[in-house]
Amino acid sequence: MYAVLGPIVLYPGQYAFAAGGDGTKNYYSLLYHLRYGQGTHFTGMLYPFGDHLVYADGQPLLGIPLAYLQQAGLPVADSGLALLNILMLLSLPLTAVIVYLLLRRVLLPAGPAVVGALLISFMAPQLERWLGHYALSYAFVVPLLWYLLVRAVSAPRSWWPLVGYAATGLFAGLLHPYFLLLAALLGLAYALVLLLQRKRHTRSAYSTGLIVRLALTAVLPIVLFQVWMALTDTVSDRPASPYGFLVYRSTFASVFYPILDPLASFWRNAFNTSETMGEGWAYTGLMSLLVLVLTTIKAVRYLVRRQWRLLFRPVLPAPLRVGLYAGLLTFLFACGVPFSWGLEGLLEWVKPLKQFRSIGRFAWIFYYFFTVYAVFYFYQLSRYLRHRRAASFAYTLVPLVILVWAWEGHTTLAAWNKRITDTNADARYTPQALLHPTETYFDYLQWQGNGTYQAIVPLPYFLLGPEQFGTNNMPASAYEAMRASLQTGLPIVASSMSRTSQAQGLAAAQLLAAPELPKELLTHFPSRKALLLLVSDEGLSGPEKRLVALGRLVLKDAHVSLYELPVAALEAAPYRQAALSAATATPARPDKVRLTWPATGTTTPLGGGSLRHEQKAVLFSGVIPQRQDTAHYEASVWVRVVGMKNLPIFRVRELDAQTGNPLESYEVPARVGTDIYRGWMRPACVFQPRHPGSHIAVELEGDPFEAAHLLIRPAYTDVFDQPTTGRVFKNNFPLQD
């Protein structure tokens, strides 16, 4: 490790393993909780609600006790980043020790076991998680779980391996919930293979009682974790179907083909293969691919000779005889089997599985099973060659295998080292910049701090977690806001967490809504202190510029501008009253299209009825009356958010009046909208018709949706109307509740 990582090993507290995006956020979540938090509730983001520490990636197993020590007077928060980095680095040698013990259990002598353990550990796929997903980087968890299963099977009357398995699964799950399902899949697959490989007509060491105990132990961590969450989590409307279950999965290529340059580029060019998705990476190495080819040839020979028993119960040490097939089962799951075989509907029967959207991570189990088998295979092959008087060939083959494997391991670790050192080459992203910044605006924050402001609003705004809506990336303002939050203790209104409450997410997104829409968030603020707008030097959207215009500039730094935003400036009542006064004096526009649907049952919060559709609906198709050909128009519609799975795409198409052929097309995902009213969202699209007489088609397409109140109007002119009796709308915004 020192040979490749160098000073990172000696001075881990002086390096940020990643910066920006998840890298900074996952440092921030733990460090903020250590400095200012307590218990299981994380208050650093999604102000004023916060969220459970689990959904903030705050590693509760570390965050809760360390925050308690900080509250008790021990200054652990100052060493939080160094401690986290040390734990990630220590996971590598611990992994090697456990893999060594596994190799000894498959009957390898100490020397080959040491070499094999090092080769396997340096290519551990979880080391890539050093670059941001820190809670998933503890590579020793999978081999430790396997080792405990091996011990449990070898001593069926002993309870300590099973207790150790349950404890490992639970504690790892308190670092990251993915370890819970990983432990369950590993244990259940192992128990199933034991059951299938048990000899039917002879007394077997694999008793039914042992298999049942293994299965129960595998699911026990999930049960205990769910009980703990039920006692500590108060949110009841988290997303039930996060995006990505059959997207972020593993493939044969992501496990057996090279994933890093220079070998990856050569491989893709030589064999015309495509680049693989990082979430599915569990690369086993070229030597393991060779073992797979040789093993496949041997399996084909078994098939030809009809030696079925040897195929399903191969002559291998027990840990491998069971482990290979258990690993194969988990690998198939990581590839999406059986759901990817046109059986996605089965997920509705096992909805909790959909919470684990990156199923490619479960290929990590297969990585350890197969690489241990590969080391065993080469050791047995060398013995076979020596016994067949081909010792010289064996003595050539083994060093060559070790050399190739070690070169890949060195290349892998060097790649992660380069990314870490490249990050720290920029002075803005070092631990010093994160924990002890020196920019001018931090002097102002230290001076004003909590006395003036109640929370930070970063612009550009970010909102990750609600799934149905929000942003998909984190701007530079997120990094600056997190640094400012760590220094001042001020929480952040924006959010980058997982499975966020739908209602709380809507309230946070609505902060950027049109001024005429009441901001629910204001009713939850604990004080009337001003908000601190932290604006980075990036492009702002229209709603973000409107927020800036409401604030007062207090400081401008090299990369950041700070604005003071009074909470009163966000109140909708003055804007509504002014709009209602203007409505009586504003003439009606002839060049508009208003479409409402009759109420067949309950009315919508906007008044009137709605249109429900399964996939795609044309809301309007025709000519805008008295259209001005040089004008820009805005089409807007309200779509229901609460109770919906995913929000549709809002599309405007210009069609040739004679042929119906498309001339222009504009579209916007409804999920990025911020105009929110009582569980409904208003996507809008501005377009300019290019051809006189052409038809305009307005469509919604996606999962089942519900829509209400379509308006097509001149984009830069206020339009007032009453789509429902007694309720005035301005530009499709309700002015009366």
Side-chain angles (χ1 to χ4, degrees):
M1 289 175 64
Y2 177 74
V4 179
L5 301 177
I8 296 175
V9 175
L10 299 180
Y11 310 104
Q14 297 181 15
Y15 289 85
F17 282 14
D22 285 339
T24 296
K25 187 266 291 185
N26 290 334
Y27 275 137
Y28 166 78
S29 296
L30 180 61
L31 297 176
Y32 185 92
H33 194 70
L34 296 191
R35 290 189 179 188
Y36 309 108
Q38 59 182 341
T40 62
H41 193 67
F42 176 71
T43 59
M45 290 185 284
L46 197 63
Y47 177 82
F49 308 108
D51 208 338
H52 198 286
L53 192 59
V54 165
Y55 296 100
D57 278 325
Q59 303 192 45
L61 188 64
L62 298 177
I64 294 174
L66 291 178
Y68 175 80
L69 293 176
Q70 178 72 20
Q71 294 292 325
L74 296 177
V76 294
D78 294 338
S79 305
L81 183 143
L83 176 62
L84 181 56
N85 289 351
I86 289 170
L87 291 176
M88 288 191 286
L89 291 171
L90 286 178
S91 72
L92 179 51
L94 182 55
T95 301
V97 171
I98 299 171
V99 173
Y100 166 80
L101 295 176
L102 283 167
L103 289 169
R104 295 289 282 158
R105 283 274 165 175
V106 299
L107 309 180
L108 261 68
V114 167
V115 175
L118 291 172
L119 295 175
I120 291 171
S121 300
F122 280 120
M123 289 185 62
Q126 286 163 270
L127 299 188
E128 187 260 345
R129 303 294 163 160
W130 285 354
L131 308 180
H133 294 162
Y134 311 128
L136 291 169
S137 68
Y138 304 109
F140 66 87
V141 173
V142 176
L144 178 57
L145 290 170
W146 183 18
Y147 178 72
L148 290 168
L149 286 176
V150 171
R151 294 300 300 265
V153 172
S154 64
R157 295 188 178 182
S158 176
W159 281 92
W160 79 260
L162 296 180
V163 172
Y165 190 95
T168 300
L170 178 60
F171 290 148
L174 291 174
L175 292 170
H176 199 291
Y178 267 84
F179 285 125
L180 293 166
L181 184 57
L182 188 148
L185 287 175
L186 174 52
L188 291 174
Y190 212 83
L192 177 61
V193 175
L194 280 175
L195 180 64
L196 296 176
Q197 290 189 351
R198 186 171 59 170
K199 295 180 180 180
R200 299 292 183 184
H201 306 295
T202 61
R203 187 174 181 179
S204 174
Y206 307 151
S207 67
T208 302
L210 172 64
I211 295 172
V212 170
R213 290 197 299 273
L214 288 179
L216 292 176
T217 302
V219 299
L220 182 59
I222 291 182
V223 174
L224 295 175
F225 183 84
Q226 292 283 39
V227 170
W228 179 69
M229 289 297 295
L231 295 173
T232 58
D233 184 20
T234 58
V235 174
S236 59
D237 63 339
R238 298 192 185 279
S241 302
Y243 170 81
F245 185 87
L246 291 179
V247 177
Y248 304 123
R249 55 194 175 105
S250 193
T251 62
F252 180 88
S254 67
V255 172
F256 286 106
Y257 294 168
I259 57 174
L260 296 174
D261 284 334
L263 198 54
S265 296
F266 167 79
W267 190 274
R268 288 195 296 269
N269 293 331
F271 299 100
N272 195 29
T273 59
S274 58
E275 191 170 356
T276 55
M277 182 177 294
E279 284 296 331
W281 284 354
Y283 178 52
T284 54
L286 288 178
M287 294 300 95
S288 294
L289 178 60
L290 176 60
V291 169
L292 176 66
V293 172
L294 297 175
T295 301
T296 302
I297 294 172
K298 192 172 185 178
V300 170
R301 288 173 57 193
Y302 286 156
L303 288 173
V304 172
R305 297 175 182 177
R306 298 185 179 181
Q307 295 175 310
W308 308 104
R309 188 184 64 83
L310 290 176
L311 186 61
F312 292 105
R313 203 172 188 277
V315 181
L316 291 170
L320 282 177
R321 186 173 64 246
V322 179
L324 270 182
Y325 279 101
L328 178 60
L329 290 175
T330 56
F331 176 51
L332 291 175
F333 176 80
C335 293
V337 174
F339 311 106
S340 59
W341 294 348
L343 300 175
E344 190 173 355
L346 291 176
L347 286 171
E348 296 303 317
W349 297 88
V350 284
K351 288 186 177 180
L353 278 182
K354 293 195 290 185
Q355 294 296 317
F356 299 90
R357 66 167 128 220
S358 297
I359 58 174
R361 296 170 181 176
F362 300 112
W364 299 341
I365 300 172
F366 179 77
Y367 170 84
Y368 291 100
F369 283 160
F370 199 81
T371 51
V372 167
Y373 168 68
V375 172
F376 172 83
Y377 187 98
F378 282 119
Y379 173 72
Q380 290 296 99
L381 179 60
S382 67
R383 287 188 63 196
Y384 174 82
L385 292 173
R386 291 198 303 270
H387 291 162
R388 291 283 178 163
R389 297 183 180 180
S392 59
F393 179 63
Y395 292 138
T396 302
L397 174 65
V398 170
L400 182 61
V401 168
I402 295 174
L403 182 64
V404 173
W405 203 329
W407 176 79
E408 284 201 276
H410 179 276
T411 300
T412 301
L413 198 60
W416 310 145
N417 173 70
K418 184 177 187 304
R419 296 192 189 182
I420 293 172
T421 53
D422 286 350
T423 294
N424 289 269
D426 188 335
R428 292 186 63 200
Y429 297 108
T430 62
Q432 176 70 22
L434 179 65
L435 303 176
H436 307 288
T438 58
E439 286 90 336
T440 305
Y441 80 89
F442 286 102
D443 295 334
Y444 173 80
L445 292 177
Q446 293 290 352
W447 174 45
Q448 294 289 78
N450 289 313
T452 304
Y453 307 108
Q454 62 174 309
I456 298 170
V457 178
L459 298 177
Y461 199 65
F462 59 95
L463 184 64
L464 290 85
E467 297 293 336
Q468 294 168 295
F469 55 90
T471 54
N472 288 321
N473 60 347
M474 291 177 64
S477 61
Y479 178 70
E480 299 295 343
M482 290 176 190
R483 292 204 299 160
S485 178
L486 282 175
Q487 299 308 307
T488 63
L490 289 172
I492 300 171
V493 176
S495 173
S496 174
M497 295 188 284
S498 303
R499 322 298 191 269
T500 304
S501 160
Q502 185 181 73
Q504 294 172 3
L506 283 171
Q510 196 193 35
L511 186 69
L512 299 178
E516 294 83 4
L517 294 177
K519 311 298 187 294
E520 182 186 347
L521 200 64
L522 305 190
T523 64
H524 296 281
F525 282 163
S527 78
R528 300 294 290 180
K529 285 184 180 181
L531 298 172
L532 177 68
L533 299 185
L534 188 152
V535 185
S536 60
D537 53 354
E538 302 169 89
L540 299 181
S541 66
E544 290 166 346
K545 291 177 180 177
R546 186 167 59 239
L547 272 190
V548 171
L550 295 174
R552 177 180 66 87
L553 180 66
V554 293
L555 186 145
K556 184 174 179 61
D557 208 339
H559 303 287
V560 167
S561 298
L562 301 181
Y563 292 80
E564 183 176 307
L565 177 64
V567 171
L570 297 172
E571 298 284 357
Y575 296 99
R576 286 183 148 195
Q577 188 59 48
L580 287 171
S581 300
T584 58
T586 303
R589 292 286 306 202
D591 56 337
K592 74 163 189 176
V593 174
R594 165 63 81 178
L595 183 61
T596 60
W597 289 270
T600 57
T602 58
T603 60
T604 71
L606 298 147
S610 62
L611 171 70
R612 298 173 184 263
H613 209 278
E614 290 299 314
Q615 288 185 328
K616 181 178 180 179
V618 178
L619 308 181
F620 170 80
S621 181
V623 178
I624 300 174
Q626 300 184 39
R627 190 186 81 197
Q628 300 178 24
D629 293 332
T630 59
H632 287 77
Y633 285 83
E634 179 196 68
S636 64
V637 70
W638 287 92
V639 295
R640 182 179 174 183
V641 178
V642 175
M644 297 292 105
K645 182 179 178 182
N646 291 302
L647 299 184
I649 298 291
F650 185 51
R651 184 180 297 114
V652 176
R653 295 192 298 145
E654 184 180 359
L655 308 174
D656 185 271
Q658 303 300 322
T659 65
N661 293 330
L663 301 175
E664 296 285 348
S665 182
Y666 313 81
E667 67 178 37
V668 59
R671 72 182 311 276
V672 301
T674 57
D675 292 326
I676 296 162
Y677 181 79
R678 296 189 177 183
W680 289 66
M681 184 177 290
R682 175 189 174 273
C685 181
V686 175
F687 62 97
Q688 182 181 21
R690 302 294 184 183
H691 302 276
S694 58
H695 282 239
I696 301 299
V698 182
E699 306 167 345
L700 282 172
E701 181 178 7
D703 287 336
F705 59 83
E706 184 176 356
H709 294 302
L710 171 71
L711 176 66
I712 304 175
R713 67 175 184 91
Y716 305 115
T717 302
D718 290 335
V719 171
F720 298 88
D721 64 349
Q722 295 188 41
T724 58
T725 304
R727 297 188 70 177
V728 179
F729 278 52
K730 172 190 174 182
N731 302 337
N732 215 12
F733 297 115
L735 299 179
Q736 298 158 310
D737 296 328

